Amino acid sequence: MKYNVLFGLAALALGFTACDDIEESDSLPQSNPQLEMVKASSVEVTKSDAAGAVINLWDANVADTPVSIATVAATEEWPEGFSPVVTSMQVSTTEGFDSYASVEAVTTDEGVVTVESYLWDEVIKNAVGRNPADVTCYLRFPVLAVSEDGKQSVRMGGENTYYGNFAVKVTPFNLFDHVIEDHYYLITSANNFDIARAIPLVHNGQANVYDDPVFTVSIPVENAGLQWAVIPESTKAAGKFGEAYGVDPATGNLVLVPAGQPIPYGEINETGHFDFTFNMETLAADVKGGATTLWTPGDSNGWNQDASQTLLTTDYVHYTGYAHLSGGFKFTTQADWSGTNYGQGDSGVLSTDPLAPNLDAPANALYWVDVNLPALTYTLTQITTIGMIGDATPKGWDGDTALTPSADFLTWSATVALGAGEFKFRANGDWDINLGGDLTDLAAGGSNIPSPGEGTYVITLDLSARPYTATLTRQ
């Protein structure tokens, strides 16, 4: 017979040392004097010889065979009618069991502890993701003393006592038909398909590329007819063509090309800036003209792109601008949701996953936003003050004349006595974020603005839309 006693039904937090009374659950007899003589040290759990150097869970699953992982045995004589039984295995990927999960186990009459491979695989995937590479698992086992009829059971040593405590190497299920490498590169006819000059694709920084296999890059295309392909890190490291990914002419998606085979190159027949997005699991490829604008829909504007502020770029890398943000928001490449939408990924980077959580603004405020789109990173600098500075202003170049914000922080105004000379607008009392140039099209870091002449003016700085503008109305 096999013992498969559910742990939650009869686990009692008792040590099997000299105890006059043994507390048991209400569903069990109140005492069993024989158990008083059973000590926690009278049982051991050891790794099963059948486990091998590496446990391949997929092979066990295909063979429909439970994994024999351990043996449980008494080290001293036990009371008649009771046996040591393991009903669960705790699994952790850290030696200190900082976090762990339990897998249901079965103990045979011979004391062999087995677990189902699919249950173990589920624990691994929850812990470390879908990467099919070998994983070191740390195991420990609670042991029950179980009566022959299964009606009585007590946990050996109490609720914090475990046995075994050994490590095994495990190969989880591999549900992929090709290897996903950590790094990929774009090779093009513009660099003569030179592997040494291959352009790195950007991943969002999540450790496990099997859980987020999307890679991107943005490049200028100066001549129509640019041909391109993708190579993995292994090919680049070898310094010569091995495996590569060409383009299926029927679908436009990537196709894996073995070493030595001709590569069907992709081709771009326009000039401009282009964004490449590849899913290295499905091999889906998306190549389109680079985004010139990012919108900032969110809680502050009712998730309406038209009511949000925009970020612009001059290099297709950094997208910058002012935005009123409060609570959740996202970046989008279209004035609706039809483009690429960016939410919160792991490790503080952006994610294009449609299910990615919203980004979060720490306060209801105006922010200077800087998005590095190829790197999928962004920074929010909260704007606490905006002032005018310059020899045309009351404080000269030594201090700011403060402007007062509107309720939505998008317009800032003040009545200011100007003199001859020049001025600029700057934020937070320093020069990191400043505006200058043409009052009808203010630019970040722009030139000094000439004073319109001596007099008192109502100054209104409008940051609600591009271009940023300022009006000076003489009183």
Side-chain angles (χ1 to χ4, degrees):
M1 105 183 185
K2 292 183 178 179
Y3 293 102
N4 189 6
V5 181
L6 294 178
F7 175 77
L9 294 179
L12 298 177
L14 294 177
F16 280 71
T17 55
C19 295
D20 294 331
D21 298 308
I22 298 178
E23 181 183 351
E24 299 179 348
S25 68
D26 292 340
S27 63
L28 299 178
Q30 291 301 304
S31 65
N32 190 322
Q34 298 181 80
L35 296 182
E36 294 181 11
M37 302 179 63
V38 182
K39 296 178 293 188
S41 61
S42 65
V43 66
E44 66 178 4
V45 175
T46 56
K47 179 181 175 182
S48 170
D49 292 338
V54 180
I55 300 170
N56 191 312
L57 297 182
W58 181 249
D59 286 352
N61 183 70
V62 171
D64 194 24
T65 303
V67 178
S68 297
I69 187 61
T71 57
V72 56
T75 58
E76 300 177 12
E77 186 176 351
W78 273 43
E80 185 177 352
F82 281 83
S83 301
V85 174
V86 170
T87 62
S88 66
M89 174 179 76
Q90 289 193 350
V91 182
S92 178
T93 56
T94 61
E95 190 172 5
F97 282 83
D98 302 312
S99 62
Y100 59 86
S102 292
V103 177
E104 184 180 347
V106 173
T107 302
T108 68
D109 287 343
E110 293 75 27
V112 177
V113 179
T114 67
V115 296
E116 294 292 343
S117 58
Y118 71 91
L119 294 176
W120 195 347
D121 183 74
E122 183 178 349
V123 166
I124 292 175
K125 285 182 168 47
N126 286 338
V128 299
R130 299 190 299 159
N131 193 328
D134 289 352
V135 177
T136 297
C137 290
Y138 298 89
L139 309 178
R140 64 186 186 185
F141 305 82
V143 177
L144 305 179
V146 181
S147 63
E148 189 172 37
D149 58 11
K151 294 182 178 180
Q152 297 184 76
S153 67
V154 180
R155 180 163 172 174
M156 299 290 292
E159 63 180 352
N160 295 317
T161 299
Y162 297 93
Y163 297 83
N165 293 294
F166 55 80
V168 294
K169 185 168 286 188
V170 181
T171 303
F173 290 6
N174 185 355
L175 306 179
F176 300 89
D177 57 12
H178 61 275
V179 173
I180 302 177
E181 299 193 22
D182 289 336
H183 303 284
Y184 291 88
Y185 301 83
L186 191 72
I187 55 172
T188 74
S189 54
N191 56 30
N192 297 317
F193 303 108
D194 183 354
I195 291 177
R197 292 191 288 162
I199 302 166
L201 300 184
V202 177
H203 185 254
N204 73 2
Q206 185 171 324
N208 190 340
V209 294
Y210 283 85
D211 290 326
D212 188 353
V214 176
F215 292 77
T216 63
V217 72
S218 181
I219 64 169
V221 176
E222 297 177 353
N223 298 296
L226 179 85
Q227 293 183 309
W228 60 270
V230 173
I231 59 171
E233 172 68 20
S234 56
T235 293
K236 187 175 188 303
K240 60 182 180 180
F241 276 98
E243 284 189 345
Y245 292 87
V247 179
D248 183 340
T251 65
N253 290 332
L254 298 181
V255 58
L256 181 60
V257 180
Q261 299 296 311
I263 299 173
Y265 292 109
E267 189 166 325
I268 297 176
N269 292 309
E270 311 174 49
T271 60
H273 216 97
F274 284 81
D275 294 335
F276 295 75
T277 303
F278 304 111
N279 184 316
M280 298 310 298
E281 177 185 356
T282 65
L283 301 186
D286 183 20
V287 181
K288 58 189 177 185
T292 59
T293 304
L294 291 181
W295 282 261
T296 57
D299 291 339
S300 62
N301 47 60
W303 292 93
N304 181 352
Q305 276 91 340
D306 289 337
S308 73
Q309 287 72 61
T310 56
L311 313 178
L312 301 182
T313 186
T314 57
D315 60 7
Y316 295 87
V317 175
H318 289 279
Y319 293 72
T320 58
Y322 293 95
H324 171 214
L325 301 174
S326 174
F329 70 98
K330 285 193 172 184
F331 300 118
T332 71
T333 61
Q334 295 295 330
D336 52 25
W337 297 99
S338 63
T340 304
N341 307 312
Y342 298 88
Q344 185 63 61
D346 287 352
S347 305
V349 299
L350 298 172
S351 172
T352 58
D353 186 335
L355 299 179
N358 296 333
L359 303 168
D360 184 61
N364 177 19
L366 181 68
Y367 293 89
W368 176 256
V369 185
D370 186 343
V371 178
N372 185 323
L373 206 56
L376 296 176
T377 60
Y378 71 101
T379 58
L380 302 179
T381 302
Q382 184 174 340
I383 305 302
T384 56
T385 64
I386 292 181
M388 297 176 67
I389 188 170
D391 54 12
T393 68
K395 297 182 180 180
W397 291 105
D398 297 324
D400 295 274
T401 299
L403 304 182
T404 300
S406 60
D408 62 5
F409 307 100
L410 293 175
T411 58
W412 296 67
S413 60
T415 300
V416 181
L418 294 181
E422 298 176 320
F423 66 91
K424 294 188 78 173
F425 299 99
R426 70 176 187 172
N428 298 340
D430 62 38
W431 290 104
D432 289 344
I433 302 171
N434 69 86
L435 292 173
D438 189 336
L439 288 173
T440 64
D441 188 6
L442 295 169
S447 59
N448 295 342
I449 304 166
S451 168
E454 293 186 7
T456 299
Y457 296 82
V458 174
I459 314 292
T460 303
L461 175 64
D462 188 349
L463 304 176
S464 62
R466 308 301 280 266
Y468 303 135
T469 62
T471 57
L472 283 68
T473 304
R474 183 187 290 269
Q475 298 301 290

